[in-house]
Amino acid sequence: TIKRPEFDAMKAAGQLDSSLGKVPLLEVDGAKIGQSKAIERFLAKELGMMGSNSVEAAQVDQLGETVRDIKDAYQKVRGLQDEEAKKAGMDKWFAEDLPNWCALAEKSLPPGPGCFFDNAEGAKAAFQNCPKLKAALEATDALPQLKEYISKRKETPF
């Protein structure tokens, strides 16, 4: 995780210009890529996770946008200032809202084989009744290329 003084120094030095002065920023062979969704799509393509044709790539992209919608909805609950309302909201999120989002995402997935949240167990439980999502998550987690990349990736402040 980047610390504020590091971020400020990098921004002042122009090191974040290619990412509009923000993080995340991915550097590959000297080229800098900003914007989380652009980075996600780049890595998915590089790691062979963007489908085998244009339609599958669009379906992968669709799921990525669905995940963004889910994360945005989650952030609204996390951002509640009243502690009692936040606790009630978080309880509802993991008991009702996230399972509903997962069911909608599950319905949108094509047939086939194959954590952001503070409460990993609650998130995992929400996927249990969504076999395609569960299979996709488990398959992604088991990818040797991804495991190798994670084990060898350079430690950065990002």
Side-chain angles (χ1 to χ4, degrees), residues 53-116:
N53 59 49
S54 296
V55 170
E56 287 180 2
Q59 290 170 326
V60 170
D61 207 21
Q62 172 190 325
L63 182 58
E65 293 303 316
T66 299
V67 169
R68 183 195 318 229
D69 290 344
I70 293 169
K71 290 167 75 173
D72 288 347
Y74 180 62
Q75 290 302 329
K76 287 181 183 177
V77 177
R78 283 188 74 208
L80 292 174
Q81 297 301 306
D82 179 78
E83 287 302 317
E84 191 174 309
K86 184 174 184 174
K87 179 178 180 346
M90 292 298 263
D91 290 347
K92 181 180 180 289
W93 172 259
F94 286 105
E96 298 173 29
D97 298 342
L98 183 56
N100 288 339
W101 273 108
C102 291
L104 288 171
E106 176 77 10
K107 289 177 185 178
S108 76
L109 295 175
C115 215
F116 169 78

